[in-house]
């Protein structure tokens, strides 16, 4: 599978567009009328202010404190980049805030403090305490990070958590539980060697000791060798706590007979000879970033029995902090915790370990393009496992309640797990699944409109993201000029530019087209003009002859025109069962709407066809299809012959015996609102519909564009389905990212 290539220009553009930075703040209450403003501010705001002053605990009820975490840094140890300063760390802290939201629906604000003085830092954070439900410290160098975290934990009554320390430790502990389980060893018996006595290393060894590892069995090394009792060089109080009585002086000596190696140090710190000297079934967690102390390939060359984990996503067993910190804070916030204690961290590690031992859901296997099952190459769950959101916070919350850290314990844990499930954004996992499948497919993607800069940017991103080869229909000099104007001059050599003048296949294309069109009023001159001069027809001919695997078009001409041109080459019309299905993504929901492209005024048979096509698209996306035939009436009232076909479409599906849920006719609120559905207990839908089949193309178009413009919904499509080759047609207002999404859909074969 090809690896993704990210250029400096792409990274900067990602942070610049559509607005500078990575997130914004939106109101959760109405802010339109004078009454709204009076309630939000003066005089209405006085009431909750007085309530909180009288009982501070109610701040969790009347403000966003209970779901707000501060990500705080001074930039003294930014990723692997060193001391970039407070301002230089801001993109990382914004990124952390986005991860909190994406994985656990935790609101987060980044705060960069311009000081390297621990006293000043602690004072600033402590003074901000009333604002937040938790503090996530990030990218602060050792040993100051130890001082800062300890002080703040003692002085604040909300969780303070340095993720570089404890996030790594928790995921490391989860992986080690399973690695030892597989190798038949117990934590209290194994000899552990740690290389790297900074923030993460010290936290790892301390947590493992809390879980049962014996002090005398743990050898800690730094750049000067083993930390032994009596050593004075390069020592501090945190290292001294882990000094052992030993004659060992170097990492090489310590590795002899070791059961476990933990590395949070530097690339190449471990040699094959060191690995060869370890005990049977050694466990090697080489977590240095961006490159591990020893690669899995190097370790397995000398020890096939080794279980290896790294910090990298392109190897099995990634020790990834995103498996921990979002869920630790989610559980802590939901019990209004005073702290995140060791018991909560251990509960998180054990819950992660248990999850990895269970069967992996199909959607996870689909997203990663391979089957995953508990074993030497799968000891830690993947970050995109949908069970994380409801399993890990619940375990953390329970441990917090059991240890007295909770201000407000959860009474009904089953109900709590249900609320956690509702926080998960299904659209994110669907999009990730499609991206992974596209990368696995390696489709040669034909981009028909190589004269458009948006299309060219999408083509470059498609290829650099590792999805496959991008074939651009256009003139080489024009493509070169437009890429250079877009700041992508270096991509000129990467793309393959194709046109009628530089292909040897034009005669075959024209013969094929004449065969299809000779009885439809087209002579050979017409056919030559279409094949040689119309980019949409030329691109479709490439696809029909196997000179590409999929096609994206439509960014420069209206979809009806593009579809007409494609129909010269393919049977992509209503008569042959084609349909256009648009995916609308909004507020953690995805709804498919059809037909948005092909059928002008479908009858009940057509509607049943569209529903079946839409159900196929839904399943390709990992959704369980629930179809609603929507109208302005619900189950026969008000009576209208215009609504009758929506009712009859269900009867057609009854006769066909399809294998998905469907119901109708009904209004949109009854289709999508679980509360409204309760008024119709006889309905065959078991939950809100995720497919809406509308009466005509005009109502489909109005619905989609209204959602896009008024609600800010993300729209993918229309997805052309029912054609024997993957073809996707963009809209003329598509951004480069929209065009890329359509290419990904085509590469997945969705349609």
């Amino acid at each position: 599978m090809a690896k993704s290539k990210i250029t400096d220009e792409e990274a900067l553009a990602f942070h610049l567009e559509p607005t500078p930075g990575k997130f914004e703040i939106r109101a959760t209450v109405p802010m339109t009328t004078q009454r709204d403003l009076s309630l939000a501010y003066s005089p209405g705001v006085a009431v909750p202010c007085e309530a909180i002053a009288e009982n501070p605990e109610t701040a969790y009820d009347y403000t966003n404190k209970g779901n707000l975490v501060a990500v705080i840094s001074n930039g003294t140890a930014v990723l692997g980049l060193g001391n970039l300063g407070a301002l230089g760390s801001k993109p990382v802290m914004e990124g952390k805030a986005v991860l909190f939201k994406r994985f656990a629906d935790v609101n987060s604000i980044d705060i960069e403090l311009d000081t390297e003085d621990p006293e000043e830092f602690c004072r600033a954070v402590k003074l901000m305490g009333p604002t937040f439900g938790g503090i996530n410290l990030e990218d602060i160098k050792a040993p100051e990070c130890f001082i800062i975290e300890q002080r703040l934990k003692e002085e604040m009554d909300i969780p303070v958590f340095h993720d570089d320390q404890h996030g790594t430790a928790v995921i490391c502990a989860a992986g080690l539980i399973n690695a030892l389980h597989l190798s038949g060893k117990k934590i209290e018996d194994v000899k552990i060697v740690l290389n790297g006595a900074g923030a993460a290393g010290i936290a790892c060894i301390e947590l493992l000791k809390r879980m049962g590892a014996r002090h005398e069995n743990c050898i800690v090394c730094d750049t000067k060798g083993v930390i032994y009792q009596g050593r004075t060089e390069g020592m501090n109080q945190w290292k001294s706590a882990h000094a052992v009585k030993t004659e060992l002086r170097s990492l090489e000596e310590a590795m002899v007979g070791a059961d476990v190696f933990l590395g949070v140090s530097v690339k190449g710190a471990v040699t094959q000879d060191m690995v060869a000297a370890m005990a049977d079934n050694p466990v090697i967690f080489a977590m240095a970033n961006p490159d591990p102390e020893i690669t899995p390939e190097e370790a397995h060359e000398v020890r096939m029995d080794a279980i290896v984990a790294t910090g990298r996503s392109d190897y099995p067993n990634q020790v990834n902090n995103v498996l921990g910190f979002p869920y630790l804070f989610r559980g802590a916030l939901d019990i209004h915790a005073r702290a995140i204690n060791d018991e909560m961290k251990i509960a998180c590690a054990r819950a992660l370990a248990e999850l990895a031992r269970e069967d992996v859901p199909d959607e996870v296997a689909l997203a990663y393009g391979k089957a995953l099952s508990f074993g030497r190459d799968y000891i830690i769950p993947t970050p995109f496992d949908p069970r994380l959101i409801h399993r890990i916070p619940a375990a953390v919350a329970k441990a917090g309640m059991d240890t007295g850290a909770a201000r407000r314990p959860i009474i009904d844990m089953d109900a709590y797990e249900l609320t956690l499930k509702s926080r998960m954004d299904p659209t994110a996992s669907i999009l990730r699944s499609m991206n992974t499948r596209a990368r696995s497919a390696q489709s040669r993607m034909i981009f028909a409109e190589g004269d458009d800069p948006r299309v060219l940017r999408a083509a470059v991103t498609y290829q650099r993201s590792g999805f496959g080869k991008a074939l651009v229909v256009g003139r080489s000099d024009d493509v070169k000029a437009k890429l250079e104007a877009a700041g992508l001059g270096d991509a000129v050599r990467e793309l393959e530019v194709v046109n009628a003048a530089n292909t040897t296949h034009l005669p075959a294309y024209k013969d094929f087209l004449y065969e299809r069109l000779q009885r439809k009023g087209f002579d050979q001159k017409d056919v030559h003009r279409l094949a040689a001069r119309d980019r949409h027809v030329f691109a479709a001919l490439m696809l029909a002859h196997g000179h590409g695997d999929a096609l994206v078009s439509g960014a420069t001409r209206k979809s009806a025109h593009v579809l007409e041109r494609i129909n010269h080459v393919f049977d992509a019309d209503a008569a042959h069962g084609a349909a256009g299905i648009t995916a609308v993504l909004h507020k953690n929901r995805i709804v498919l709407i059809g037909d948005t492209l092909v059928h002008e005024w479908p009858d009940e048979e057509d509607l049943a066809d569209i529903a079946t096509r839409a159900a196929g698209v839904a399943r390709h996306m990992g959704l369980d299809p629930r179809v609603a035939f929507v109208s302005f009436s619900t189950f026969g009232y008000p009576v209208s012959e215009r609504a009758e076909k929506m009712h009859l479409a269900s009867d057609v599906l009854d006769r066909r015996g399809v294998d998905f849920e469907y119901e109708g006719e009904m209004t949109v609120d009854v289709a999508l609102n679980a509360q409204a559905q309760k008024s119709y207990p006889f309905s065959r839908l078991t939950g809100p519909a995720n497919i809406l089949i509308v009466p005509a193309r005009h109502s489909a178009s109005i619905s989609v564009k209204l959602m896009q413009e008024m609600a800010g919904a993300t729209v993918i499509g229309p997805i052309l389905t029912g054609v024997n080759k993957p073809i996707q047609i963009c809209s003329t207002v598509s951004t480069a990212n929209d065009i890329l999404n359509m290419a990904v859909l085509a590469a997945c074969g969705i349609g």
Side-chain angles (χ1 to χ4, degrees):
M1 192 183 292
K3 289 183 182 177
S4 177
K5 175 186 175 186
I6 297 173
T7 64
D8 291 355
E9 292 82 6
E10 282 178 290
L12 291 173
F14 183 88
H15 286 78
L16 177 64
E17 300 167 352
T19 55
K22 291 195 281 280
F23 66 89
E24 65 181 7
I25 294 173
R26 294 187 181 186
T28 57
V29 293
M31 300 290 283
T32 48
T33 67
Q34 182 58 47
R35 177 178 171 78
D36 294 337
L37 297 177
S38 296
L39 285 166
Y41 198 57
S42 182
V45 76
V47 181
C49 287
E50 289 175 334
I52 293 167
E54 186 176 332
N55 180 6
E57 181 63 20
T58 58
Y60 288 92
D61 300 311
Y62 302 130
T63 76
N64 63 11
K65 179 182 174 77
N67 195 38
L68 188 64
V69 167
V71 177
I72 305 183
S73 181
N74 61 1
T76 51
V78 180
L79 301 176
L81 305 172
N83 188 345
L84 296 186
L87 191 58
S89 75
K90 186 169 174 60
V92 180
M93 302 313 127
E94 281 189 6
K96 195 80 169 192
V98 171
L99 293 179
F100 265 115
K101 188 67 178 174
R102 160 64 181 86
F103 286 98
D105 195 25
V106 171
N107 294 324
S108 181
I109 298 289
D110 64 293
I111 295 172
E112 292 74 35
L113 297 177
D114 193 12
T115 179
E116 294 189 20
D117 182 342
E119 286 290 330
E120 275 194 312
F121 190 101
C122 289
R123 177 171 166 74
V125 176
K126 185 184 174 186
L127 290 173
M128 290 187 288
T131 308
F132 301 101
I135 304 291
N136 184 96
L137 301 173
E138 195 80 16
D139 289 0
I140 304 166
K141 69 182 175 73
E144 287 90 336
C145 62
F146 301 122
I147 300 166
I148 288 168
E149 189 196 42
Q150 190 56 42
R151 274 275 305 277
L152 291 175
K153 282 168 77 171
E154 290 169 0
E155 296 178 5
M156 299 184 78
D157 66 346
I158 55 174
V160 177
F161 184 85
H162 184 208
D163 188 48
D164 301 305
Q165 292 181 59
H166 309 296
T168 305
V170 167
I171 315 308
C172 172
L176 190 58
I177 289 169
N178 280 339
L180 294 179
H181 174 84
L182 287 168
S183 56
K185 298 177 181 179
K186 294 182 178 178
I187 194 167
E188 57 267 26
D189 299 331
V190 292
K191 178 184 174 184
I192 300 172
V193 175
L194 165 70
N195 194 49
I202 295 289
C204 283
I205 208 71
E206 285 183 349
L207 190 63
L208 295 180
K209 287 179 179 179
R210 284 299 305 268
M211 292 172 65
R214 292 200 177 111
H215 174 76
E216 62 272 19
N217 288 346
C218 298
I219 306 291
V220 179
C221 301
D222 61 10
T223 54
K224 294 177 170 55
V226 171
I227 294 172
Y228 57 90
Q229 284 184 8
R231 196 183 105 172
T232 55
E233 189 185 6
M235 294 295 286
N236 58 41
Q237 67 188 79
W238 297 279
K239 291 181 183 180
S240 296
H242 300 285
V244 289
K245 191 173 183 179
T246 178
E247 298 301 315
L248 302 171
R249 291 295 179 267
S250 67
L251 175 63
E252 187 174 11
E253 292 173 9
M255 288 285 272
V256 177
D259 298 286
V260 177
F261 169 77
L262 306 177
V264 274
S265 52
V266 293
K267 173 185 178 180
V270 173
T271 65
Q272 288 184 319
D273 287 343
M274 292 181 194
V275 172
M278 294 179 74
D280 289 345
N281 294 305
V283 176
I284 299 166
F285 281 24
M287 299 176 286
N289 267 324
D291 298 301
E293 285 82 359
I294 187 168
T295 66
E297 297 95 331
E298 290 167 339
H300 285 135
E301 270 182 29
V302 291
R303 293 299 294 271
M304 283 300 295
D305 60 340
I307 297 173
V308 186
T310 71
R312 291 178 60 129
S313 59
D314 51 352
Y315 287 123
N317 301 328
Q318 185 191 12
V319 178
N320 189 337
N321 285 24
V322 84
L323 289 165
F325 71 84
Y327 310 111
L328 274 162
F329 271 98
R330 178 77 275 153
L333 290 169
D334 292 338
I335 57 171
H336 303 181
R338 296 178 178 85
I340 293 175
N341 57 35
D342 284 345
E343 289 80 6
M344 293 160 78
K345 288 182 277 185
I346 292 168
C348 180
R350 286 182 174 147
L352 285 167
E354 286 169 15
L355 198 58
R357 291 201 288 269
E358 296 177 12
D359 287 341
V360 180
D362 290 343
E363 61 261 43
V364 177
L366 199 64
Y368 281 83
K370 61 182 178 182
L372 298 169
S373 60
F374 180 58
R376 290 170 173 268
D377 287 336
Y378 179 70
I379 58 173
I380 306 169
T382 64
F384 295 94
D385 192 317
R387 298 169 297 178
L388 289 163
I389 183 63
H390 63 93
R391 293 283 293 274
I392 311 307
V396 171
K398 186 176 184 306
M401 292 187 291
D402 291 345
T403 54
R407 284 192 186 85
R408 191 176 296 181
I410 296 163
I411 307 302
D412 186 341
M413 288 299 289
D414 291 337
Y416 174 54
E417 287 195 32
L418 284 174
T419 65
L420 290 171
K421 285 180 182 178
S422 71
R423 288 183 179 274
M424 190 64 191
D425 179 358
T427 60
S429 58
I430 287 167
L431 291 173
R432 176 173 175 81
S433 170
M434 292 191 302
N435 275 268
T436 307
R437 286 155 60 195
R439 203 166 277 121
S440 178
Q442 290 296 298
S443 292
R444 294 168 298 159
M445 187 61 53
I446 304 166
F447 292 86
E449 297 151 310
D451 61 336
D452 188 285
R454 296 168 299 161
V455 174
L456 292 175
R457 287 204 303 274
V460 171
T461 305
Y462 179 86
Q463 192 156 300
R464 286 181 173 176
S465 297
F467 292 127
K469 182 71 180 167
L471 309 173
V472 174
V473 178
R475 291 183 295 107
S476 295
D477 56 345
D478 185 44
V479 168
K480 183 175 187 291
K482 288 195 164 89
L483 283 171
E484 286 173 348
L488 290 167
D490 60 331
V492 172
R493 296 183 306 277
E494 298 173 32
L495 297 181
E496 184 176 334
V497 181
V498 189
N499 58 42
N502 69 9
T503 182
T504 59
H505 302 298
L506 189 61
Y509 289 175
K510 290 196 293 186
D511 289 346
F512 175 89
L513 198 58
Y514 187 61
E515 183 72 26
R516 278 184 62 87
L517 300 182
Q518 59 191 351
R519 293 183 182 274
K520 296 181 181 179
F522 291 82
D523 61 23
Q524 288 189 326
K525 286 183 179 177
D526 298 326
V527 164
H528 174 78
R529 275 193 293 271
L530 283 171
R533 298 179 191 168
D534 190 299
R535 74 194 94 175
H536 306 293
V537 176
F538 180 82
L541 286 164
M542 283 180 66
L543 182 63
H545 286 77
H547 300 141
D549 300 314
L551 166 63
V552 176
S553 189
T556 62
R557 299 295 298 268
K558 291 190 181 298
S559 56
H561 172 86
V562 176
L563 189 61
E564 177 196 333
R565 290 294 191 264
I566 286 170
N567 263 300
H568 290 328
V569 181
F570 291 96
D571 297 325
D573 54 13
H576 290 90
I581 311 299
T582 295
V584 178
L585 287 64
H586 184 58
K587 288 188 174 178
N588 295 358
R589 292 178 74 170
I590 181 164
V591 174
L592 306 183
I593 298 176
D595 180 349
T596 53
L597 182 64
V598 179
H599 294 77
E600 182 73 33
W601 181 251
D603 62 19
E604 57 268 23
E605 294 285 343
D606 296 327
L607 290 165
D609 288 341
I610 295 164
T612 304
R613 294 290 185 202
V617 171
R619 283 185 169 136
H620 261 298
M621 290 182 162
L623 297 170
D624 191 13
R626 284 193 294 274
V627 173
F629 293 99
V630 292
S631 182
F632 62 89
S633 62
T634 299
F635 298 118
Y637 187 83
V639 177
S640 166
E641 67 177 72
R642 292 231 158 197
E644 185 182 13
K645 68 175 183 178
M646 307 308 291
H647 163 73
L648 293 174
S650 283
D651 296 341
V652 174
L653 291 181
D654 286 345
R655 292 197 302 272
R656 293 184 184 179
V658 296
D659 62 347
F660 54 85
E661 289 183 29
Y662 56 91
E663 188 58 280
E665 86 283 12
M666 62 181 70
T667 56
V668 169
D669 58 325
V670 175
L672 298 180
N673 189 312
Q675 201 61 36
Q677 285 182 342
K678 289 180 180 176
S679 300
Y680 305 93
F682 56 85
S683 171
R684 290 177 288 194
L685 295 183
T686 59
N690 50 26
I691 299 171
L692 303 181
I693 306 301
V694 297
R697 199 168 82 206
H698 61 263
S699 49
S701 176
I702 291 166
S703 302
V704 168
K705 285 181 166 48
L706 190 64
M707 282 294 295
Q708 192 170 23
E709 293 303 318
M710 293 294 290
T714 298
V715 171
I716 301 176
I719 300 162
L720 183 60
T721 176
V723 184
N724 65 356
K725 289 273 190 175
I727 302 170
Q728 297 305 341
I729 301 175
C730 309
S731 74
T732 53
V733 296
S734 295
T735 64
N737 197 55
D738 295 332
I739 297 164
L740 178 65
N741 281 337
M742 296 306 285
V744 166
L745 282 171
C748 290
I750 294 178

